[in-house]
Amino acid sequence: MNDELVELAGRRPKTFGRRKMMPRACVADSKRHLRAFLAEVLEDLGFVTSECANAEELQAVLTADLPDLILLGIAADGIEPGKFLETLVREAFDGKVLAVGARESIIVKAVQQVGEEYGLAMLPPLTTPFAAETLRERIAMLLPEEPAPSPAVYVGEALHAGWLELWYQPKIDARTLIRSGAEALVRMRHPTWGVVPPAYFIPEPHDPHLRDLSEFVIERAVQDWHYLLEQQSPVDLSINLPASYLKEPQAARDLCRRMPTHPAFGGLTIEIDSEEAIRDLDLLAEVAREVRLHNIGLSIDNLGANWPSLMDLDKIPFIKLKADRHFVTGSGNDRLKRTVCRHIVELAHGYGAGTIAEGVESRADLVAANELGFDHVQGYLFGKPMPLKKFARSALTRTVMGGE
């Protein structure tokens, strides 16, 4: 291998086409589970990731994706890492290379030495086991400076290109701390910017693509429900839809038609922003009557200081009220926040509805939510929104209070 590397190294040009926005990384490892783990960690750090299991796949990635970083998994036999190095030199790769392997591994040291001798930009090796912060320190120079694109991405383009997906954040029973469901949240995996939050692509209410986005959320949530059923056990899901979509003729009927017929299907919750929900109470009452026989319930989202608008009604069409995160986070030490949350709980229980505290980010928030009487909690204390497959694995491999 060394003679060939010498020849190839002499042909390396001085520069390699670099991208100027979201950094890209390729995880090169023969073991699928290690590739998936490392890719998840990199995505959390803001990278657009790809994976390859052998030198042929790596060559294709180098040509198509122009990665800034190669995470090079070092197996015990050392055969595939050698081929990976040959490919990197042959393809004139001038990004960073980070070898990942067991501490005190002779092969890791050999790969590091050979890579440096032949001009590859080798970062200090990452030995296993490692903390995510250690990886961050190794690749700090590549981390993105900007969190999202500017200007915002046109949602029609994202839908057409297939960039959208649903991520899931667990909902937790406030008393047992057992996972009771999950909320589906739209994310865009942009080919340049990586994972983009909704603020940069969710359309305005008058946008003609809002209906298409709503249809996507419904269809993908049903698909994901079936996937989660196969991977673990049925999960009660909630999705976010605008009231304007439910105003459309046939919308409620089409929604019912799309629901799973599997006997394990426990229902779908439609979360509607509080401002829209309060404005369209009469309409939503009609929708609620039409969909409830199909295991679909309506929930009011982001309820905060506008809670008095729901007072003095004979009944409400919502099965749950979710307190706005602004009033939940830090409520243990803020009398005003606790007062708003208490009123929401009392209001919900008066109507026979359940309650969710969104924005539980500390144990103090959890204690406050329990004291206030919330039925369910949701927030970073129990897990950030995560891609479908990661969410499925988290239910099998991590405890709730472990900070998923």
Side-chain angles (χ1 to χ4, degrees):
M1 179 187 76
N2 286 4
D3 290 342
E4 183 177 1
L5 284 174
V6 170
E7 179 182 354
L8 292 170
R11 300 205 304 263
R12 300 180 73 238
K14 294 181 179 180
T15 59
F16 189 67
R18 310 312 305 152
R19 297 166 40 264
K20 296 181 180 179
M21 292 182 267
M22 209 70 171
R24 295 176 182 264
C26 176
V27 181
D29 195 296
S30 58
K31 296 181 175 62
R32 181 176 60 84
H33 68 283
L34 291 178
R35 294 199 306 272
F37 167 71
L38 290 170
E40 284 179 6
V41 175
L42 288 168
E43 287 178 358
D44 287 344
L45 293 175
F47 282 80
V48 179
T49 65
S50 55
E51 302 174 22
C52 61
N54 53 56
E56 290 73 21
E57 292 180 2
L58 175 60
Q59 183 169 345
V61 169
L62 293 174
T63 301
D65 292 348
L66 302 181
D68 303 282
L69 172 70
I70 303 294
L71 252 69
L72 189 57
I74 309 300
D77 56 22
I79 296 175
E80 200 62 50
K83 294 181 179 179
F84 284 145
L85 286 180
E86 292 179 14
T87 302
L88 292 174
V89 175
R90 179 184 298 110
E91 295 300 316
F93 179 69
D94 73 346
K96 305 294 185 182
V97 181
L98 178 59
V100 182
R103 191 180 302 276
E104 303 301 328
S105 168
I106 296 176
I107 299 175
V108 170
K109 295 179 180 178
V111 167
Q112 186 77 11
Q113 181 178 350
V114 171
E116 291 173 352
E117 288 177 356
Y118 296 109
L120 294 175
M122 305 293 295
L123 298 173
L126 186 65
T127 57
T128 56
F130 64 89
E133 189 58 35
T134 305
L135 175 58
R136 174 187 285 274
E137 292 173 358
R138 290 285 195 281
I139 59 179
M141 77 293 293
L142 296 174
L143 294 179
E145 297 179 358
E146 297 180 72
S150 181
V153 177
Y154 186 48
V155 71
E157 178 186 7
L159 284 164
H160 179 74
W163 295 338
L164 299 183
E165 58 190 68
L166 295 183
W167 285 30
Y168 292 89
Q169 184 174 36
K171 293 182 178 180
I172 309 297
D173 186 291
R175 292 163 183 80
T176 65
L177 299 185
I178 295 174
R179 180 179 292 183
S180 59
E183 179 181 2
L185 300 161
V186 184
R187 295 291 184 268
M188 177 173 66
R189 196 178 295 273
H190 193 275
T192 297
W193 289 99
V195 177
V196 178
Y200 292 88
F201 64 87
I202 293 296
E204 297 295 326
H206 62 274
D207 192 304
H209 289 94
L210 187 60
R211 183 181 188 279
D212 294 334
L213 179 61
S214 300
E215 297 280 352
F216 164 82
V217 170
I218 296 168
E219 292 286 354
R220 181 59 59 86
V222 172
Q223 293 175 19
D224 291 352
W225 182 87
H226 284 288
Y227 175 85
L228 291 170
L229 178 65
E230 295 173 358
Q231 297 298 313
Q232 40 170 301
S233 58
V235 176
D236 291 340
L237 298 181
S238 65
I239 61 175
N240 294 271
L241 291 179
S244 59
Y245 171 75
L246 297 174
K247 289 180 181 179
E248 296 190 12
Q250 301 295 321
R253 191 170 302 173
D254 289 344
L255 180 63
C256 295
R257 179 177 53 81
R258 290 188 173 99
M259 291 303 98
T261 57
H262 196 286
F265 179 63
L268 179 72
T269 301
I270 308 297
E271 298 191 14
I272 302 168
D273 182 74
S274 62
E275 294 295 334
E276 289 187 85
I278 291 168
R279 185 173 61 245
D280 294 308
L281 275 173
D282 292 340
L283 164 73
L284 295 177
E286 294 179 11
V287 172
R289 284 194 294 270
E290 185 172 353
V291 302
R292 63 187 174 191
L293 294 179
H294 296 267
N295 282 344
I296 302 173
L298 304 186
S299 172
I300 190 166
D301 193 15
N302 302 323
L303 187 62
N306 54 349
W307 66 268
S309 299
L310 295 174
M311 293 180 62
D312 302 324
L313 301 174
D314 293 334
K315 58 182 178 179
I316 58 174
F318 308 107
I319 61 172
K320 296 175 184 174
L321 303 185
K322 178 187 283 188
D324 192 316
R325 66 173 64 250
H326 173 75
F327 294 96
V328 173
T329 304
S331 57
N333 300 315
D334 188 310
R335 180 179 297 180
L336 176 60
K337 291 183 177 182
R338 288 179 67 89
T339 300
V340 172
C341 288
R342 182 179 294 108
H343 283 304
I344 291 173
V345 171
E346 292 173 353
L347 183 70
H349 290 172
Y351 287 119
T355 52
I356 304 173
E358 183 178 24
V360 175
E361 299 185 358
S362 67
R363 292 180 183 271
D365 293 341
L366 176 60
V367 170
N370 268 300
E371 291 176 348
L372 290 163
F374 281 99
D375 302 308
H376 298 87
V377 291
Q378 180 180 348
Y380 285 5
L381 179 64
F382 305 100
K384 297 180 180 181
M386 61 192 86
L388 173 66
K389 293 182 179 179
K390 184 176 181 179
F391 176 79
R393 286 194 296 271
S394 72
L396 301 175
T397 61
R398 303 182 188 179
T399 62
V400 165
M401 289 303 294
E404 294 174 286

